[in-house]
Amino acid sequence: MLGEKILQFRKARGMTQSELAGERLTKGMLSQIENGKAAPSMAALEYLAGRLGCEVSDLVDKKKDYTGLLSEMEALKEEGNYETIDQRLADTLPVNMDVDLVLAKLYGLYAEAGYKLRKKDRKRYADLAAEFYQANGLYVNSAKILWAYHEYCRDEWLDWKESYHTLERIRKEYTGNGLEEDTVFQLKLLLDEAIDLMALEEYTTAHQKLKSAIKLANKTNIYYQMDNIYRIAANEALRNNDGEEYLRLLKKSEQYAVFTENEASIKIMPLLRAMYHNMIKHDPSSAMAELELYSAEGMFLEPLYHLEMGRTLFGLGRIEEALISLSQVKLVDYLIHPIDIAMLQSAGIYRALCYEQMGREEEALKEIDHAEKQLRRMPKSIYYQHAVKVKKRLAEKKGTDD
């Protein structure tokens, strides 16, 4: 193992950990490297080799020297040049060799480049890297490799089941192997588990994950992503029509957004309060006041704004204006979660209601039929339930009129 070799070289030269660490590493970090609990970057490895008076190749066990290639690829990653990484490694990366630290890092970079370029053939390389790290006790490095695959499944393939299975694998393999010591990683894991579970209609389990994240943050005083955790937890209250709990969680989310100076989270708050006034309190006047505040702050989620404005105008009886706003609701690439997509698709429900109010029954039926079919393919939500009710009522109304 790399750590053992560094330890052997250090002792052979009569150096203490502090002497070897010098000014660029801490004694604690060096101790983790020597004990196999952390893997040094290539820059750190070169630094240690220099301090030990040896070559990097003396520290890593390999048949061919790929350290120069790794340094080149890590520099390209810093530049975000994943296309060049992909091209270079496709031509030079060996696949039938005993994996060492350098190759594991190259496999990880090749897999990551493939994910960024939306290529579906990289799980093999990710697994090779993860298996090496795990076999050598480098659990955090292994988890990071699997985490990249999870994000790829979720963000590019929209494969929520595979994404969640990857998170389950991370939790299973790394519980007891350092996961408990990394609170930030635990919070990330709990949050993404909850997001995936919601996409899979496992709402109760998802809510339990979010509660666990809140409990962990309060216990450790580490509040990573707490604005998002509370905001997503508020969705469960909205689903249950619990206005008091929704506002409580939204207030918490806003407090953490202000504390962490998260401008995006701060700006969206009026829009979320408008949802509360429209969907729970049925108070379009208060919703309009929030939407005017949101517009003044500068919009960055236009589809959701047009949806909420359409609902608000409909509630105020301004039907033609509502239909214009609702007609501007379009699906966008940056909203990929099924619940977000369902929310946007619910615009069709209100377009149908607008047509009904305007006496255009055939268009209303066509619109609600299309919306119900779209929402039927999404996780069952309050939007789907609403579509079913409106479709049934409009169909019964037409039958009565006939």
Side-chain angles (χ1 to χ4, degrees):
M1 288 175 59
L2 173 65
E4 291 176 353
K5 284 199 171 185
I6 293 173
L7 175 63
Q8 290 169 5
F9 269 81
R10 177 174 65 79
K11 288 188 173 181
R13 283 154 177 72
M15 299 174 72
T16 65
Q17 286 184 330
S18 296
E19 288 171 338
L20 177 55
E23 296 181 356
R24 287 183 52 181
L25 295 176
T26 65
K27 179 182 175 182
M29 176 55 70
L30 178 58
S31 177
Q32 286 190 311
I33 292 171
E34 289 185 344
N35 290 316
K37 294 182 178 179
S41 66
M42 183 50 59
L45 196 56
E46 290 170 348
Y47 170 74
L48 289 172
R51 301 278 293 178
L52 291 167
C54 66
E55 300 294 328
V56 170
S57 58
D58 296 325
L59 299 176
V60 293
D61 182 16
K62 56 194 181 341
K63 297 177 181 178
K64 183 177 178 180
D65 188 356
Y66 288 100
T67 54
L69 179 63
L70 177 58
S71 295
E72 182 185 346
M73 296 302 102
E74 288 181 336
L76 289 170
K77 179 183 175 180
E78 287 293 319
E79 299 170 4
N81 193 344
Y82 290 100
E83 288 188 5
T84 302
I85 292 174
D86 187 68
Q87 292 167 1
R88 290 275 282 110
L89 293 183
D91 295 333
T92 60
L93 196 60
V95 293
N96 295 315
M97 279 184 63
D98 292 334
V99 180
D100 58 22
L101 178 65
V102 173
L103 277 179
K105 289 192 172 188
L106 285 170
Y107 286 150
L109 283 169
Y110 188 50
E112 185 177 352
Y115 300 158
K116 295 291 185 180
L117 300 173
R118 301 189 178 188
K119 297 188 176 182
K120 299 183 178 182
D121 59 349
R122 299 301 164 79
K123 188 172 186 296
R124 173 190 180 188
Y125 296 93
D127 285 342
L128 284 170
E131 288 167 7
F132 170 82
Y133 288 134
Q134 187 177 359
N136 288 273
L138 302 172
Y139 297 106
V140 173
N141 298 73
S142 183
K144 287 179 179 178
I145 292 289
L146 293 174
W147 189 270
Y149 177 66
H150 139 69
E151 289 184 328
Y152 178 60
C153 291
R154 181 190 65 191
D155 299 341
E156 304 299 340
W157 285 359
L158 304 183
D159 188 340
W160 301 91
K161 184 175 290 187
E162 180 68 11
S163 172
Y164 183 67
H165 285 166
T166 304
L167 293 178
E168 284 186 309
R169 179 180 168 187
I170 291 172
R171 181 172 292 283
K172 179 180 178 181
E173 293 181 359
Y174 305 114
T175 296
N177 291 312
L179 178 63
E180 296 82 356
E181 300 170 11
D182 191 337
T183 301
V184 169
F185 188 77
Q186 285 190 76
L187 291 172
K188 285 177 62 178
L189 184 57
L190 287 165
L191 175 59
D192 279 31
E193 283 174 328
I195 290 171
D196 284 4
L197 285 164
M198 286 181 177
L200 297 171
E201 300 183 45
E202 298 286 346
Y203 297 111
T204 301
T205 308
H207 193 58
Q208 290 170 351
K209 295 286 185 181
L210 293 170
K211 288 174 68 175
S212 294
I214 292 169
K215 183 178 179 180
L216 176 62
N218 290 332
K219 179 181 177 181
T220 60
N221 292 322
I222 295 176
Y223 301 106
Y224 176 82
Q225 291 274 9
M226 290 310 294
D227 55 331
N228 287 327
I229 289 170
Y230 274 109
R231 178 173 52 80
I232 293 171
N235 286 335
E236 179 70 6
L238 186 67
R239 194 173 72 88
N240 293 326
N241 204 39
D242 188 341
E244 184 177 346
E245 179 67 359
Y246 179 80
L247 287 180
R248 184 187 75 81
L249 294 169
L250 207 60
K251 181 68 174 177
K252 285 282 190 180
S253 175
E254 186 172 21
Q255 288 172 343
Y256 282 108
V258 171
F259 176 70
T260 57
E261 300 181 349
N262 188 330
E263 292 296 325
S265 289
I266 294 170
K267 284 182 178 180
I268 200 176
M269 288 300 157
L271 183 58
L272 298 176
R273 287 192 292 268
M275 289 175 59
Y276 160 78
H277 290 301
N278 276 328
M279 299 182 67
I280 295 180
K281 298 298 289 184
H282 306 292
D283 180 0
S285 296
S286 295
M288 181 61 78
E290 294 288 355
L291 290 172
E292 288 171 352
L293 178 61
Y294 178 71
S295 180
E297 288 288 327
M299 293 185 294
F300 67 102
L301 287 174
E302 288 193 39
L304 295 180
Y305 169 79
H306 290 307
L307 170 62
E308 216 54 50
M309 178 59 78
R311 282 199 286 221
T312 301
L313 291 167
F314 179 82
L316 292 171
R318 295 158 59 178
I319 306 303
E320 291 186 2
E321 294 174 80
L323 186 57
I324 291 172
S325 187
L326 291 165
S327 297
Q328 297 180 66
V329 179
K330 309 292 182 185
L331 296 181
V332 288
D333 291 341
Y334 57 83
L335 291 174
I336 62 170
H337 194 278
I339 300 300
D340 291 331
I341 293 172
M343 187 190 306
L344 294 178
Q345 289 173 339
S346 73
I349 303 171
Y350 288 91
R351 287 195 292 266
L353 293 172
C354 287
Y355 287 133
E356 180 191 21
Q357 291 294 312
M358 298 166 75
R360 296 158 63 176
E361 282 79 9
E362 290 298 326
E363 289 173 273
L365 283 167
K366 183 178 179 181
E367 188 73 53
I368 193 60
D369 184 64
H370 180 65
E372 189 270 339
K373 286 178 179 176
Q374 283 187 315
L375 288 163
R376 192 190 308 163
R377 295 195 292 267
M378 294 292 109
K380 299 303 179 287
S381 63
I382 54 176
Y383 310 110
Y384 175 69
Q385 295 166 6
H386 190 196
V388 170
K389 289 180 182 178
V390 172
K391 181 177 181 179
K392 181 180 179 181
R393 182 179 63 76
L394 290 178
E396 289 175 348
K397 180 181 178 181
K398 184 179 188 307
T400 302
D401 292 342
D402 291 343

